[in-house]
Amino acid sequence: MKRRLALGLIMLAAMSLAMPRGVVAQAFPARPVKITAPYSAGAGPAIFTRVIADKLASAWGQPVIVDARPGASGFVALEAVKKAAPDGHELVVVSNAHVAINPSLYKTLPYDAEKDFVPVAMLYRTPFFLVASSTGPYQTVPALIAAAKAKPETVSYGSSYVGSPSHLGSAEFEYVTGTKMIHVPYKDQSQMYVGIANGDVGWAFSTLGSALPLVKAGRLKLVAIAAKQRARSLPDVPTLAEAGGPDIVVDSWLAVMAPRGTPPQIVQKINADINRALADHDVQDNLQTFGFEAAAGTPQQLGDFIRGEAKRFAELVKRTGATAD
């Protein structure tokens, strides 16, 4: 009898602990959700985040607002969200720059990617293209390398901000080709592409989504893709190695994170709903347009992936001597 009573009490205790968790997940979201994006509103990551936000709003019956807050290498956006209530109603999208590159590039950060945030869901992965003005002097990779070698520290390349994948990829490009160029970081990605098209900046590594408007307008040229193989959607664009350049890979990914302390049940719910959205036919069409590849997975898988990326970029920063100055 005592044993059955003890077992019953244990079961009741377990139920009492489980019930609030279920209630928490079912009640979410109780109000509008804000997703902060450390990108300008016209950049590919911010545009795609709005696509996902619309799908989540339909599923949740609550508005999902995307707040574009570019600048300061993502510091502004991440610092704002780390202070938010850990209840799932404020989220942030991050790339490898914010949580895998910045920790090695900066001596001090206003946030700790591991301690201040929890991984929620991966959205996509995407390769970078070497882009240049369609009427400029760098129509081929060998032409760019030759110009940089002929006059060191005169050819310039842009990046969306210090510590971005485009910045680190360009630093590796310099290192492998034995060249020295001028790094020009931009606060607003759209301004960078206009600068390249106008000849103010020589070239940059860019995702297809961000460069697409000016590529379609005929002002920017996709010179090569920084990947091991050509993109299925752009089979005429050669890889860097095929184009006579170094065999390096420059890529990026976008993921959703939440303030540390967000209940696991809410994290799991957001993860499941984002994964469902990524499988939606309309979202798949958007991914293809931008040259993105859906990367659905669990929060645990995302956490492991980020730690692996942080190690990889720490070695790259050390090898290239890239700095945040």
Side-chain angles (χ1 to χ4, degrees):
M1 178 66 74
K2 289 182 178 180
R3 186 177 179 182
R4 285 199 297 268
L5 180 60
L7 182 60
L9 290 172
I10 290 172
M11 291 178 66
L12 284 171
M15 289 174 63
S16 67
L17 288 173
M19 286 177 61
R21 295 176 181 175
V23 170
V24 167
Q26 291 172 14
F28 176 85
R31 59 182 185 277
V33 174
K34 183 171 73 173
I35 305 177
T36 299
Y39 300 96
S40 57
I47 294 173
F48 185 74
T49 300
R50 287 197 294 274
V51 171
I52 292 295
D54 289 344
K55 294 297 179 181
L56 293 177
S58 297
W60 292 344
Q62 289 281 2
V64 180
I65 303 159
V66 177
D67 181 17
R69 302 185 70 174
S73 301
F75 293 1
V76 175
L78 273 77
E79 191 170 14
V81 177
K82 86 170 188 180
K83 298 175 182 177
D87 57 13
H89 290 88
E90 285 202 42
L91 306 168
V92 63
V93 288
V94 298
S95 74
N96 40 2
H98 308 113
V99 295
I101 297 176
N102 281 354
S104 293
L105 201 63
Y106 289 89
K107 292 181 179 179
T108 59
L109 288 175
Y111 62 88
D112 186 307
E114 187 83 22
K115 295 179 180 179
D116 293 332
F117 300 95
V118 292
V120 176
M122 180 80 90
L123 295 181
Y124 65 73
R125 299 185 69 171
T126 182
F128 276 66
F129 292 81
L130 194 160
V131 300
S133 169
S134 56
T135 58
Y138 311 128
Q139 297 298 298
T140 66
V141 178
L144 170 61
I145 296 172
K149 285 187 175 182
K151 294 183 178 180
E153 298 185 332
T154 58
V155 174
S156 60
Y157 63 85
S159 77
S160 46
Y161 49 85
V162 172
S164 62
S166 57
H167 173 204
L168 265 289
S170 301
E172 185 175 21
F173 185 89
E174 286 183 278
Y175 177 81
V176 174
T177 58
T179 57
K180 288 186 178 295
M181 306 188 216
I182 301 170
H183 175 214
V184 183
Y186 280 78
K187 179 180 179 180
D188 188 323
Q189 275 189 336
S190 59
Q191 293 177 0
M192 178 184 76
Y193 297 116
V194 172
I196 295 171
N198 290 341
D200 300 326
V201 182
W203 64 281
F205 278 123
S206 166
T207 62
L208 175 62
S210 295
L212 193 59
L214 289 181
V215 171
K216 285 185 173 181
R219 299 187 64 194
L220 288 182
K221 176 182 179 179
L222 301 175
V223 179
I225 182 172
K228 292 295 184 182
Q229 57 189 18
R230 299 188 182 198
R232 285 177 292 179
S233 58
L234 294 165
D236 294 333
V237 180
T239 66
L240 273 175
E242 290 173 337
D247 186 15
I248 63 173
V249 172
V250 184
D251 59 7
S252 184
W253 44 264
L254 198 72
V256 176
M257 300 188 82
R260 176 66 61 180
T262 302
Q265 298 77 19
I266 290 179
V267 170
Q268 292 291 346
K269 175 176 174 54
I270 298 172
N271 173 273
D273 291 338
I274 286 177
N275 286 344
R276 255 189 298 275
L278 289 173
D280 184 274
H281 180 73
D282 293 340
V283 174
Q284 288 288 324
D285 286 344
N286 272 280
L287 285 163
Q288 187 172 2
T289 298
F290 287 124
F292 299 157
E293 181 181 344
T298 67
Q300 293 76 19
Q301 288 171 330
L302 175 57
D304 291 342
F305 178 72
I306 290 174
R307 283 185 284 274
E309 285 283 272
K311 181 178 179 181
R312 177 170 77 93
F313 281 108
E315 293 170 352
L316 178 57
V317 168
K318 183 178 180 180
R319 184 170 71 250
T320 62
T323 68
D325 298 329

